[in-house]
Amino acid sequence: MHFISGLMTQGVPFVVAELGNKVPPFQLHLWAAFAEEERRRISERTGGLNPGRREGRFLQIADGYAWFNPHLAISVRWDGETLVESAPSQPDWRKWKPSDPTSAHWYDEARLERYLAAHLARAQDLGRDRPLREIVAEFRGLSSSAKQKAVAEESGTARLSLAEFLGDGDAIDHAGITRLLAAMQHHSRPAGTADLGTIGRDHLLARFTACGVQSETFKYKRVAGIGENGVPVVIETAFGWCPDAEPVRRIVAGVNWSVALGNPFRSFGRDGEGLEAVLNQQRAGRAEPIVVVAHLASPRVEFSDRGKTALVL
């Protein structure tokens, strides 16, 4: 919070993707305070100032990335000792990356407006006047000149710059954004669940076996579909029993191939119980020698907290 306040005192401009480039200072202070409090809570959950616990949690997180990314090779050396060593099981494995073109079908009018406003703010900082067509070309399936021309004609945005289309951020044409989004979706194919990528049974079985799980107890399930908002979702879960391990349950949970600091599946539904409660009901409590994996992949996820530690499902 002190760092943010210092930047504000020096007159450094802030652009918030969700709110644009005209965020009241009071609101920025509030967000900074919330972020600081969430950082403190995460620190408590992950070991705080306890060096031993912090080291163990770090190593567990590092190892967790190998569970979710079959193409990843990872090695961690701590004080000259190799504590994590993992080779890729599928070097050519593919997943949807942040650098891949985004899909128009993953947006609604409000989200597209914020996306365009962020591009406008960046262009103004650089002193550029970007054509709207240039932004459209960055979307999946709209890189060809023919597609860009069709979108421009259908939405009535031919030869408009981004600043002209958004009115420099002061008088946004909401109806125009609705037409633009409809045209972009009409001239592009929705990305499906197969485009996101799947960790897969074979890779997870290899990880389970390496940590001592009896292979005959291994269970895996993949559920994939398109949500009500038109966004693809892939959920993968796996379970295994380690009879020779310490009586401690291990949960490896993550979102979009990244390991969560805690359990992001705290509630299923608005009032439903979370992952740990469901496991306890199935007599798979904290003192059971089991491993549970839960991973969700989706281009658009929502969290219930500023620290992005609890999913909204």
Side-chain angles (χ1 to χ4, degrees):
M1 184 174 177
H2 175 73
F3 176 72
I4 298 297
S5 299
L7 292 178
M8 294 173 65
T9 301
Q10 296 174 26
V12 175
F14 284 79
V15 178
V16 182
E18 293 186 0
L19 301 175
N21 60 349
K22 296 182 179 181
V23 185
F26 176 71
Q27 192 167 359
L28 284 174
H29 276 293
L30 282 178
W31 279 32
F34 286 140
E36 184 174 356
E37 174 62 15
E38 188 60 32
R39 182 198 62 78
R40 184 189 65 79
R41 294 184 180 184
I42 291 174
S43 178
E44 289 180 352
R45 289 197 300 268
T46 57
L49 298 177
N50 185 324
R53 186 179 176 191
R54 188 169 60 223
E55 175 186 338
R57 183 60 181 138
F58 171 79
L59 295 174
Q60 194 174 61
I61 290 174
D63 180 61
Y65 274 93
W67 289 66
F68 295 144
N69 295 272
H71 66 316
L72 179 65
I74 185 168
S75 178
V76 177
R77 292 179 60 83
W78 197 291
D79 291 335
E81 181 183 0
T82 300
L83 300 180
V84 175
E85 189 77 47
S86 178
S89 65
Q90 301 172 40
D92 58 347
W93 180 75
R94 291 277 302 167
K95 65 179 179 180
W96 193 279
K97 297 180 292 186
S99 58
D100 292 332
T102 186
S103 171
H105 297 268
W106 298 345
Y107 291 79
D108 54 22
E109 288 81 358
R111 285 183 170 84
L112 181 61
E113 179 180 319
R114 293 196 295 267
Y115 180 83
L116 295 176
H119 271 289
L120 175 61
R122 178 61 174 168
Q124 290 173 338
D125 288 343
L126 297 176
R128 294 184 59 195
D129 188 17
R130 297 187 66 184
L132 178 61
R133 182 169 175 169
E134 186 178 296
I135 304 297
V136 171
E138 296 177 356
F139 281 78
R140 174 186 170 94
L142 298 175
S143 60
S144 71
S145 298
K147 290 289 186 72
Q148 296 164 34
K149 181 180 179 181
V151 169
E153 291 177 349
E154 190 171 312
S155 61
T157 58
R159 293 183 294 279
L160 284 182
S161 70
L162 180 59
E164 290 171 335
F165 179 66
L166 292 179
D168 286 321
D170 296 323
I172 295 177
D173 181 5
H174 298 288
I177 289 179
T178 300
R179 291 194 301 272
L180 176 63
L181 179 60
M184 292 168 65
Q185 292 178 342
H186 178 232
H187 291 283
S188 62
R189 179 183 68 84
T193 57
D195 297 308
L196 295 182
T198 297
I199 300 169
R201 183 184 188 280
D202 292 344
H203 174 71
L204 288 175
L205 175 58
R207 298 302 307 174
F208 272 72
T209 303
C211 68
V213 168
Q214 282 191 346
S215 58
E216 59 268 26
T217 69
F218 175 78
K219 303 294 182 183
Y220 166 83
K221 188 171 184 178
R222 176 184 181 272
V223 177
I226 306 297
E228 294 179 357
N229 53 10
V231 176
V233 179
V234 176
I235 299 175
E236 294 177 83
T237 57
F239 169 90
W241 181 49
C242 305
D244 299 325
E246 295 182 8
V248 177
R249 180 183 66 193
R250 181 182 180 186
I251 298 176
V252 185
V255 180
N256 287 339
W257 306 283
S258 293
V259 184
L261 292 177
N263 170 26
F265 303 98
R266 299 181 199 167
S267 177
F268 298 132
R270 197 170 290 272
D271 301 313
E273 297 177 322
L275 175 61
E276 294 189 55
V278 171
L279 290 173
N280 290 336
Q281 291 173 5
Q282 299 299 317
R283 299 181 181 178
R286 292 178 178 271
E288 297 297 328
I290 61 173
V291 178
V292 178
V293 167
H295 179 265
L296 180 145
S298 179
R300 200 169 83 203
V301 294
E302 297 182 12
F303 296 89
S304 61
D305 61 330
R306 291 292 179 188
K308 297 185 176 181
T309 63
L311 281 168
V312 175
L313 297 173

